[in-house]
Amino acid sequence: SLNANNPMANVVLGNHYYETKKFDLARPHLTEAIRLSPNLHSSLFRLGMIEKSEKNYDRAIELMAKAISIEPTIPGMRIHLGICFAQTNRLHDAIDMYNKDLALDPRSVEATYNRAVAWDRLGMLDRALEGYRDTLKLDPKHRNATFNFQNLSKTLKRR
């Protein structure tokens, strides 16, 4: 049986519900785990991911940033934070997160691609083209990077 005062029991249940996409059941367990043990970066991050999935980007940013401040060395977390920044048109902040993730994992296809998209949205087209090219060096079959690279190449040739 669950000891409601045990943060790890709440983490296990919260993670189970999270993994099965039962976010309404995951949220109270993850929240209780954090109440009992405020530095549980994984639970903070998962709550942030729930908020992201529900398009509550400002709350997701707050939770993910706190998780990263507790455990700054895990690759991948900043990609999701960057996506939330991009969704709120904070593209320079998004690029900063992708760059920080790439410092931890230089071969991250997702960070490389998302950074290229952010450059593209900012109108930094030469950099975006380079970013799509870098993505394709890491993953030659990346469909979105291929599509964007081809379209942007045509656009830049017409200038």
Side-chain angles (χ1 to χ4, degrees), residues 136 139 141-148:
L136 292 169
D139 179 2
K141 295 181 180 179
H142 194 289
R143 286 186 177 173
N144 291 338
T146 300
F147 179 82
N148 291 352

Side-chain angles (χ1 to χ4, degrees), residues 30-111:
L30 296 171
T31 301
E32 181 62 8
I34 293 163
R35 187 187 70 75
L36 294 167
S37 185
N39 289 328
L40 289 171
H41 72 276
S42 62
S43 295
L44 284 162
F45 188 76
R46 289 202 175 204
L47 280 173
M49 292 295 288
I50 291 170
E51 297 296 338
K52 177 183 168 223
S53 75
E54 295 174 351
K55 299 185 182 346
N56 299 322
Y57 297 115
D58 290 332
R59 180 71 176 136
I61 288 167
E62 177 186 331
L63 291 163
M64 289 179 187
K66 186 169 183 185
I68 291 167
S69 74
I70 294 167
E71 183 47 70
T73 62
I74 298 174
M77 290 199 303
R78 287 177 180 82
I79 294 170
H80 295 284
L81 180 53
I83 290 168
C84 292
F85 281 135
Q87 290 295 326
T88 57
N89 291 313
R90 294 169 60 184
L91 296 171
H92 292 285
D93 290 328
I95 290 167
D96 184 49
M97 288 301 108
Y98 304 139
N99 285 335
K100 287 180 178 175
D101 191 76
L102 286 163
L104 295 171
D105 179 8
R107 298 195 51 77
S108 171
V109 173
E110 194 174 2

